[in-house]
Amino acid sequence: MKVIRGIVFDFGGVISLPMDPGFLPKVQALTGWAPEQTLAGWRRHRAKMDADAISIRELYRCLAADHGQTLAPDVVDALAEADFAAWARPNPETLAWARALKAEGYRIGILTNMPTDFLPWFDRCAAEFRALADAEVVSGAEGIVKPDPAIYALMARRIDLPPEALLFLDDTLANVEAARACGWHALRFTSAAEADVTLRALEAHA
């Protein structure tokens, strides 16, 4: 029997390509915020959005308030649209690998921090990937955000496999470490090719 029986994928930077590098300069052009200021603002507020406690537009109003600004509604709309578009870029390499894994008999899961107002973009970007999935956990729909251990437990129940039979792929180290602390195998994702090497090594040392 395989050591790993399920592969669980994050969305941003895994199923999708990394954030569009043109996005932060676009934010700066619309608001005057330097990229590092935007990233710092995300660290303060984005988990609330991923839990559906605030919307994408409220996120940018919060960032503006941090700077003592009030943004015009059309600017908020432009920021929200540009933010979601920056992530809705499918990674064809990951999709091809997931198809191959499915053909080998692995269960496929999706575990992502994502607000529910991104779901239409998610489906447009990842409809083919979602069709492969045996289980899916979206933070905004559950009100639980990685790296909370509860979200990993929920994913394991949904995919119906014990943690030690799961390999989790995420581009954020804190989420990878949290999965490991919950008993999962986990890898910080850089490419499908590298992840496949790790998977085969785990199987070879079973």
Side-chain angles (χ1 to χ4, degrees):
M1 181 182 292
K2 290 184 172 69
V3 172
I4 304 298
R5 289 182 281 149
I7 317 295
V8 178
F9 296 78
D10 176 38
F11 173 71
V14 181
I15 295 172
S16 74
L17 294 167
M19 182 185 71
D20 183 344
F23 172 62
L24 290 173
K26 186 177 292 186
V27 173
Q28 187 167 16
L30 286 166
T31 64
W33 308 333
E36 59 271 18
Q37 292 176 303
T38 301
L39 293 171
W42 283 356
R43 287 191 289 271
R44 285 192 297 274
H45 301 294
R46 204 164 183 103
K48 290 180 288 186
M49 184 188 75
D50 285 336
D52 260 23
I54 60 174
S55 70
I56 181 69
R57 286 166 175 77
E58 289 168 330
L59 170 78
Y60 282 101
R61 293 188 190 104
C62 287
L63 267 65
D66 289 345
H67 294 283
Q69 295 174 267
T70 300
L71 299 176
D74 63 323
V75 174
V76 173
D77 288 345
L79 289 166
E81 185 82 4
D83 186 309
F84 282 175
W87 295 102
R89 306 190 311 142
N91 186 332
E93 180 192 22
T94 307
L95 177 60
W97 185 51
R99 283 178 172 150
L101 293 170
K102 186 81 172 183
E104 288 183 54
Y106 290 98
R107 295 185 200 176
I108 301 297
I110 301 172
L111 173 56
T112 179
N113 281 352
M114 179 186 294
T116 56
D117 50 3
F118 186 77
L119 287 174
W121 293 80
F122 182 33
D123 199 48
R124 288 197 296 271
C125 173
E128 292 179 89
F129 201 105
R130 294 181 81 186
L132 297 173
D134 299 283
E136 183 178 289
V137 173
V138 174
S139 65
E142 309 298 340
I144 317 167
V145 178
K146 292 179 292 184
D148 188 327
I151 203 167
Y152 300 96
L154 177 59
M155 183 73 239
R157 289 196 300 274
R158 289 228 175 127
I159 204 167
D160 195 25
L161 287 170
E164 63 270 18
L166 293 167
L167 174 62
F168 178 53
L169 307 168
D170 197 300
D171 64 330
T172 300
L173 183 58
N175 297 336
V176 170
E177 291 175 339
R180 289 173 181 160
C182 292
W184 296 42
H185 301 274
L187 175 69
R188 189 173 190 179
F189 185 87
T190 57
S191 72
E194 180 185 292
D196 191 67
V197 169
T198 297
L199 173 62
R200 305 308 167 184
L202 286 169
E203 300 292 11
H205 290 89

